[in-house]
């Protein structure tokens, strides 16, 4: 396309479908009037309204109309393309129309629902939006999707319980796995745990069994003491380089990536007299308990030899505060678990848990909490207005329920601190071009619809690198992420979107602005004649953002589906009223 | 706001990125948050897709205001597309200054997918801002 | 206008099919599929619609090199411009550079706006609101914003121009109400848009009482001298390029020899269109600079590669690269031009090339020679 046609081709046949969405739209927008108006627009040869355009009946009507009215473009005025565009595109495809000849107009989220008190204005706006959609639709071009072969190899970053579980699962499906662990040993956080709640099972046999499974597998290649050094490419075709502590690099190809890098425990420096000896974290207590148990076993001591008389645990240390507002989810149950362990070691030990709110949802955890109360563990509620004071040998706390100040002597204070973002998460996120949330945890594509996906195709997430979760939940995520990765790995080809950038080489000066601005390495300069370079776009690497088209000084680069001509047509239609 | 501006319904073109701001508009809808019917949204994949040409075309054709919306800094689905939007809006603003178009008719805002209330509030605020300026003097009537 | 009229008015109906045009065309040198001869032939043989829908319609630079060599004196650029206006009526336009921002600016300038375009004026520059001389600055204040990335400050030349005028005892009118001259709309076939801008400019100049309008942009001079009368009638004022004015009054400037070697790029409008070749050269020599000519100079000069902010691509880059190599081959330290657009287009290509030469407007060179502040 070397020249643009600034006004629409009168010949293009457009069909418009206006949805009632039950009463969601029709309750506030005059759908009949919008449909009648659509019929008056240039290019529109057919318009109808539907009770639910997205229903089987509605989709069938679209497909029928494409055939009977020889529609070349389809416009649906309904809800949001973010949820329903694939459905209508498929309907077009099934009727033999290129799916990119479809345009979505949102008259629900942008009209009926937000202008409920002004039905006339909502109707006028719906007409305007339909006019804009039709104006763009007339300029839409059929687009091609690209097929690229898939490398049936999964890269898993993080060799803890979650990474290993995903690895074993994918290996059992017959895929090659490359498992990269930063520490010299596989196992992650679980290596530091003693018992697991709510069953008080030993953590070590469980994790060691998983390590053994990984080590036994012939299709899992493990890189310990190694980190991801570089990753280039796109879904199905990543070039990965891993670097070990000696600086040696190993390179391989992978088709998909699972991020399972876990989290770390917040260290409460300067809080509640934390010193790592008399005031410790739950994780440090866990090690003390494990050591003690080992001592008991080795020295043949009687079980009841813990010399701790009183232990005070403080919950929400560094969590649910303005600078770290989230609940770390695992601390209440961890505290209960360790409290029960202390009582197990020495039934004489008194344990006080100073809490703000106790979060033990579900059938098992509420019972676990009850069990702790029955075991004589004292729960004392404090508020942020009166945080506990850890003094020499005594914790002073204002009991919110009692309405009185209590002084509790202690041998040990245990601070329940939250899980926080893993070290290096930021660098990894930048390398993989995936987002983090404001706390540094990895952010999934959609909390409900795509909880284990990143918005970037082919990259998945599982475990506490996403947010603090219980072990059984994260293991379920590991299986889920493995299943998501397998949806790519089982395919011979992946299909890329047709919404990509394209270069008109005769208009390209080879200045390289597109190459500079692209975060995904999609355009590259190619020497086509001595001294003459032009940009070419790898459509599979292109994400379709259109930044290159915006910075291109000559108009050589087109952002397909959002071309200058198409966007300008919408701007004009927005402002040039045709009543 | 002058009395004259009270009844004035401005015409505002809003560019919204697919991943954050358009989703924020959806959330405003799902949450049934009401805002003035003065805006017309044009969806682009990224705020970095917006060009000075798009914005100036809107003003040439009589837009009373233009709003460019994108993901918050650091949250861009395309890593840094919103940084391009900053450059574009700045450059367009300087062209508008030479042209004599009030700077306050153009605004850049970050609205995330989770900020339906913020989307609605910005639509309301910007409508008021443009109402205070009054109708644009520009309008190419030869078209 | 229909194609029969276009052929007659531009003398294209007298084409001998000799191919001198194509042999001369700088576009053809980079893109051999482009041929002015066959473009005319296509229309002569009754297939104008092929031209309307061919990107080659937008490839012509209207540099006029072909016309100077045509034995039948066919005005090929005028033929192309007229064909573009026909295309425009069929809703076909070229691909504009910079996302069509220049077209937007020109469109908005045709509306009733109050610009703030004189912000480039600096302390010590003497200008007036009413007077005999009107300095038509052109689009330089917009270029400053748009071509910041190239490191080109176009209004440098405007400040230098006012300093030189002041040195000659002229305090020109400089107006916020000036509009784009419209040449780039006309080049792309938008006669109506051109007329709107011409009418406003005429009113603005008339209101200043000016008897003479001075330009530093050759496109402006050319538009006023050659194209304005056709749409707004005979102009009630004189139109000059600053170098023409300076050539007459060079003795009045206290010049010091610069002692540097420079070469001069003839802008197509100033050279082939307006026949001004000697005045800028005289100015350069008067500044005490040694002028060395490029291989292609004066009537044979090579275009800067881009006009009308349209279809600026591989050909443009190729032509600019050739031109800059010609400049490099002279051994000059500076490449002097008398057109702000040539300066921008050549600067754009220069940033991608390994050529050590500095681009400068002739007004800035002269300012340095009279030891005036040149910014």
């Amino acid at each position: 396309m070397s020249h643009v046609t600034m006004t629409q081709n009168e010949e293009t046949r457009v069909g418009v479908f206006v949805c009632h969405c039950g009463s969601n739209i029709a309750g506030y927008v005059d759908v009949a009037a919008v449909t009648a108006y659509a019929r008056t627009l240039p290019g529109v040869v057919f318009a109808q309204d539907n009770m639910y355009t997205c229903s089987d009946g509605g989709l069938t009507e679209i497909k029928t109309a494409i055939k009977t009215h020889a529609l070349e473009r389809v416009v649906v005025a309904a809800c949001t393309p973010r949820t329903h565009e694939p459905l209508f595109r498929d309907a077009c495809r099934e009727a033999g129309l290129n799916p990119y000849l479809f345009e979505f107009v949102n008259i629900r989220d942008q009209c009926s629902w937000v202008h409920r008190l002004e039905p006339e204005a909502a109707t006028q706006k719906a007409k305007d939006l339909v006019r804009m959609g039709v104006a763009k639709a007339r300029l839409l071009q059929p687009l091609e999707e690209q097929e690229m072969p898939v490398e049936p190899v999964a890269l898993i970053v993080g060799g803890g319980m979650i990474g290993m579980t995903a690895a074993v699962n994918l290996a059992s499906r017959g895929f090659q796995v490359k498992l990269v662990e930063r520490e010299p040993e596989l196992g992650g956080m679980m290596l530091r745990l003693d018992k697991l709640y709510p069953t008080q099972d030993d953590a070590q046999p469980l994790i060691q069994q998983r390590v053994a499974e990984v080590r036994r597998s012939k299709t899992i290649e493990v890189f310990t003491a190694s980190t991801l050094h570089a990753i280039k490419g796109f879904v199905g075709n990543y070039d990965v380089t891993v670097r070990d502590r000696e600086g040696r690099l190993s390179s391989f190809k992978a088709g998909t990536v699972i991020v399972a890098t876990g989290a770390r425990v917040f260290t409460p420096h300067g809080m509640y007299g934390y010193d790592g000896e008399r005031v410790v974290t739950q994780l440090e207590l866990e090690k003390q308990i494990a050591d003690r148990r080992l001592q008991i076993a080795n020295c043949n001591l009687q079980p009841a030899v813990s010399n701790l008389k009183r232990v005070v645990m403080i919950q929400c240390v560094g969590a649910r505060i303005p600078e770290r507002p989230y609940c770390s989810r695992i601390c209440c149950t961890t505290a209960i678990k360790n409290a029960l362990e202390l009582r197990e070691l020495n039934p004489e030990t008194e344990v006080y848990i100073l809490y703000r709110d106790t979060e033990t949802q579900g059938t098992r955890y509420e019972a676990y909490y009850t069990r702790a109360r029955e075991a004589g563990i004292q729960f004392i509620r404090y508020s942020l207005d009166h945080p506990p004071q850890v003094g020499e040998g005594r914790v002073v706390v204002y009991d919110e329920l009692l309405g009185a100040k209590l002084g509790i002597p202690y041998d040990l204070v245990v601070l329940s601190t939250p899980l926080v973002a893993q070290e290096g998460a930021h660098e990894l996120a930048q390398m993989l071009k995936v987002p983090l949330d404001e706390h540094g945890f990895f952010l999934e594509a959609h909390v409900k619809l795509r909880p284990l996906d990143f918005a970037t195709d082919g990259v998945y997430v599982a475990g506490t690198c996403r947010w603090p979760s219980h072990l059984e939940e994260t293991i379920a995520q590991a299986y889920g992420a493995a299943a998501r990765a397998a949806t790519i790995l089982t395919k011979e080809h992946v299909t890329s979107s047709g919404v990509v950038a394209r270069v008109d080489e005769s208009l390209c000066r080879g200045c390289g602005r597109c190459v500079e601005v692209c975060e995904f390495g999609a355009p590259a300069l190619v020497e086509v004649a001595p001294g003459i370079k032009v940009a070419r776009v790898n459509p599979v690497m292109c994400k379709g953002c259109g930044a290159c088209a915006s910075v291109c000084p000559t108009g050589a680069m087109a952002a397909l589906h959002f071309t200058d001509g198409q966007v300008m047509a919408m701007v004009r239609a927005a402002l040039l009223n045709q009543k | 706001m002058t009395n004259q501006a009270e009844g004035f319904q401005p015409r505002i073109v809003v560019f919204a990125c697919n991943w954050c701001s358009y989703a924020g508009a959806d959330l405003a809808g799902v949450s049934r948050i009401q805002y003035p019917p003065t805006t017309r949204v044009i969806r682009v994949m990224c705020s970095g897709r917006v060009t000075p040409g798009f914005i100036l075309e809107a003003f040439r054709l009589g837009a009373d205001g233009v709003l460019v919306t994108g993901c918050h800094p650091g949250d861009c689905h395309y890593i840094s597309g919103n940084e391009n939007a900053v450059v574009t809006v700045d450059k367009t603003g300087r062209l508008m200054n030479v042209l004599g178009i009030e700077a306050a008719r153009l605004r850049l805002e970050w609205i995330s997918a989770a900020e339906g209330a913020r989307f609605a509030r910005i639509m309301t605020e910007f409508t008021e801002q443009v109402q205070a300026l009054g109708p644009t003097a520009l309008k190419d009537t030869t078209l | 206008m229909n194609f029969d009229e276009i052929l007659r008015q531009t003398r294209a109906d007298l084409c001998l099919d000799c191919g001198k045009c194509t042999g001369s065309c700088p576009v053809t040198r980079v893109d051999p599929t482009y041929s002015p001869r066959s473009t005319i032939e296509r229309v002569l043989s009754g297939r104008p619609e092929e031209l309307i829908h061919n990107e080659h319609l937008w490839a012509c630079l209207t540099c006029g090199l072909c016309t100077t060599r045509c034995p039948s004196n066919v005005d090929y650029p005028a033929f192309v411009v007229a064909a573009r206006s026909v295309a425009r009526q069929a809703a076909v336009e070229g691909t504009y550079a910079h996302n069509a921002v220049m077209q937007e600016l020109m469109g908005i300038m045709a509306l009733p706006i109050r610009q703030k375009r004189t912000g480039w004026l600096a302390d010590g520059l003497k200008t007036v609101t009413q007077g005999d001389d009107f300095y038509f600055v052109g689009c330089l204040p917009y270029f400053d914003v748009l071509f910041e990335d190239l490191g080109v400050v176009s209004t440098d030349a405007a400040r230098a121009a006012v300093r030189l005028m002041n040195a000659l005892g002229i305090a020109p009118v400089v107006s916020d109400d000036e509009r784009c001259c419209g040449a780039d709309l006309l080049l792309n076939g938008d006669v109506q848009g051109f007329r709107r801008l011409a009418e406003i400019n005429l009113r603005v100049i008339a209101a200043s009482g000016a008897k003479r309008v001075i330009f530093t942009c050759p496109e402006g001079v050319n538009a006023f001298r050659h194209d304005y009368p056709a749409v707004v009638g005979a102009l009630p004022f004189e139109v000059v390029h600053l170098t023409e004015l300076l050539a007459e009054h060079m003795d009045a400037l206290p010049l010091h020899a610069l002692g540097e070697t420079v070469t001069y790029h003839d802008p197509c409008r100033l050279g082939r269109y307006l026949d001004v070749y000697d005045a800028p050269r005289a100015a350069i020599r008067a500044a005490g600079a040694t002028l060395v000519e490029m291989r292609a100079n004066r009537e044979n000069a090579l275009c800067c590669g881009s006009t009308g902010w349209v279809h600026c691509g591989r050909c443009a880059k190729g032509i600019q690269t050739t031109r800059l190599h010609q400049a490099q081959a002279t051994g000059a330290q500076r490449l002097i031009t008398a057109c702000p657009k040539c300066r921008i287009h050549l600067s754009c290509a220069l940033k991608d090339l390994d050529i050590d030469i500095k681009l400068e407007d002739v007004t800035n060179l002269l300012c340095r020679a009279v030891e005036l502040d040149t910014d």
Side-chain angles (χ1 to χ4, degrees), chain A residues 80-82 85 106 109-110 113-116 118 125 128 433 455 517 519 544-545 550 559 562 564 572 575, chain B residues 11 22-23 26 29 32-37 39-41 43 45 48-49 57-58 61 77-80 84:
Chain A
T80 172
R82 297 180 60 257
E85 190 171 63
N106 189 341
D109 305 73
Q110 287 176 25
W113 278 353
V114 291
H115 309 308
R116 298 207 287 182
E118 302 160 275
K125 184 173 170 184
D128 291 351
K433 305 192 194 313
V517 83
E519 294 278 4
C545 69
S550 298
F562 294 90
D564 280 12
R572 286 186 195 123
L575 295 158
Chain B
R11 307 206 305 161
Y22 193 92
D26 282 355
R32 310 294 200 276
I33 306 170
Q34 306 297 296
Y35 56 85
T39 56
R40 302 292 179 265
V41 170
R43 182 171 68 107
M45 292 310 283
R49 176 68 192 100
E57 175 77 347
L61 298 178
H77 183 72
Y78 304 105
I79 319 294
S80 64
N84 296 324

Side-chain angles (χ1 to χ4, degrees), chain A residues 245-490:
Chain A
R245 286 189 184 169
E246 274 73 55
R248 284 186 298 254
L249 302 177
S250 322
S251 294
F252 51 84
K253 287 184 94 65
T256 179
V257 184
I258 296 175
V259 177
T261 48
R264 66 190 168 87
V265 171
F266 174 68
T267 310
H269 291 297
M271 301 174 81
Y272 298 105
Y274 171 72
D275 59 6
E277 288 176 15
R278 284 199 77 198
V279 182
V280 299
T281 63
Q282 289 286 1
L283 196 61
E284 286 160 348
L285 168 66
E286 195 132 344
K287 184 167 182 343
Q288 283 186 18
I289 294 172
D291 288 351
R292 188 72 190 166
R293 207 193 312 282
L294 204 64
Q295 220 177 353
I296 292 166
N298 290 347
C299 309
N300 230 351
L301 298 174
Q302 293 302 306
V305 291
S306 164
N307 50 9
L308 296 170
K309 286 199 177 63
R310 283 193 194 84
V311 177
V312 178
M313 296 183 176
I314 304 174
Q315 299 302 100
C316 297
V317 172
R320 301 172 69 217
I321 54 173
E323 60 264 43
R324 203 175 292 102
Y326 62 90
C327 166
S328 179
R329 188 163 168 81
I330 62 163
C331 325
C332 288
T333 34
T334 299
I336 291 171
K337 174 187 78 178
N338 288 338
L340 287 169
E341 281 306 302
L342 287 169
R343 300 280 289 178
E344 177 78 22
L345 281 172
N346 183 354
E348 304 294 309
T349 305
E350 291 173 23
V351 185
Y352 299 85
I353 298 181
L354 315 186
Y355 71 100
R356 283 166 59 200
D357 296 289
T358 302
E359 301 290 343
T360 53
Q361 307 99 326
T363 51
R364 292 190 187 88
Y365 291 114
E366 192 62 18
Y368 195 46
Y369 175 47
T370 307
R371 183 174 146 203
R373 298 194 85 110
E374 284 169 359
I377 291 156
Q378 299 292 314
F379 287 82
I380 297 168
R381 183 167 194 176
Y382 75 93
S383 80
L384 263 189
D385 301 335
H386 305 96
Q389 307 291 321
V390 178
E392 198 55 47
R394 241 163 76 100
V395 175
V396 177
V397 60
Y398 181 82
D399 186 327
E400 287 285 309
L401 302 180
L402 211 59
K405 219 179 239 185
L406 305 175
I408 310 167
Y410 68 86
D411 299 314
L412 185 69
V413 172
V414 185
L415 306 179
S416 289
T417 57
L419 288 181
V420 293
Q422 188 60 278
E423 261 174 73
H426 189 67
E427 291 73 10
L428 183 61
Q430 285 190 326
M431 222 185 283
L432 293 170
K433 305 192 194 313
V434 297
L436 298 174
D437 69 12
E438 67 265 45
H439 311 299
F441 291 103
F442 285 92
L443 183 66
E444 68 285 319
H446 189 286
V447 68
K448 299 261 193 309
L449 299 175
R450 297 174 66 193
L452 302 176
D453 297 9
F454 284 110
T456 307
D457 290 340
V459 188
Y460 304 96
V461 61
T464 52
C465 63
R466 183 168 156 256
W467 66 45
S469 319
H470 300 312
L471 184 64
E472 70 270 26
E473 292 168 343
T474 52
I475 288 175
Q477 289 171 17
Y479 286 123
R484 294 293 296 140
T487 62
I488 302 290
L489 298 173
T490 48

Side-chain angles (χ1 to χ4, degrees), chain A residues 484-505:
Chain A
R484 294 293 296 140
T487 62
I488 302 290
L489 298 173
T490 48
K491 285 180 191 146
E492 283 188 14
H493 295 95
V494 282
T495 308
S496 70
S497 167
V499 180
V500 292
R502 191 162 69 196
V503 183
D504 177 341
E505 291 185 11

Side-chain angles (χ1 to χ4, degrees), chain C residues 190-331:
Chain C
D190 184 359
V191 182
Q192 189 199 15
F194 174 71
R195 183 194 307 273
R196 289 160 77 191
L197 290 172
E199 284 167 354
I200 302 175
N201 277 325
L202 214 63
R203 279 202 301 276
V204 170
I205 294 166
S208 76
K211 297 187 179 67
R212 180 168 63 179
V213 182
I214 303 166
F215 294 79
T216 40
C217 179
E219 295 245 70
V221 197
N222 181 61
F224 272 68
R225 265 192 207 161
H226 288 156
D227 303 315
Y228 270 41
V231 296
V232 293
L235 302 181
F237 45 76
E238 188 193 348
V239 170
V240 292
H241 190 264
L242 181 61
T243 57
E244 295 178 282
L245 184 68
L246 289 169
E248 290 169 26
H249 301 93
M250 207 58 81
D251 302 343
L253 293 175
L255 293 160
H256 301 263
L258 283 173
E260 58 193 49
T261 306
V262 305
T263 188
Y264 174 69
H265 168 80
D266 288 281
C268 302
R269 311 289 155 199
L270 200 57
R272 282 184 291 267
Y273 278 64
L274 295 164
D275 228 16
V276 178
Y277 296 109
D278 294 326
R281 285 177 171 78
I284 289 168
R285 291 206 183 89
T290 307
L291 176 65
V292 282
E293 293 288 353
M294 284 184 271
R295 201 166 66 78
N297 61 67
R298 299 178 69 97
E299 292 83 352
N300 296 316
L302 188 61
C303 174
C304 74
S306 191
T307 41
W309 311 107
V310 73
H311 206 82
C312 176
R314 201 160 134 185
C315 272
K317 181 75 168 283
I319 294 165
Q320 287 151 1
T321 303
T322 304
R323 191 57 167 164
L324 288 164
H325 279 135
Q326 288 179 359
Q328 184 186 34
T330 64

Side-chain angles (χ1 to χ4, degrees), chain B residues 49 51-53 56-57 59-60 91 94-95 97-101 137-142, chain C residues 99 101 104-105 107-109 111-117 141-142 145-146 148-149 192 196:
Chain B
R49 176 68 192 100
T51 68
L56 292 177
E57 175 77 347
F59 284 120
R60 182 171 76 87
K91 188 179 254 193
R94 285 185 289 143
L95 290 172
N97 179 49
V98 184
L99 286 167
I101 304 173
L138 310 188
K139 165 99 186 158
D140 198 331
T141 51
T142 60
Chain C
N99 305 91
V101 70
E104 294 297 342
L105 293 172
I108 293 174
M109 275 191 255
L111 303 175
I113 50 168
R114 285 305 314 246
Q115 296 170 90
K116 296 178 197 158
R117 55 149 56 224
Y142 295 101
V145 178
L146 291 167
E148 197 176 39
D149 301 353
Q192 189 199 15
R196 289 160 77 191

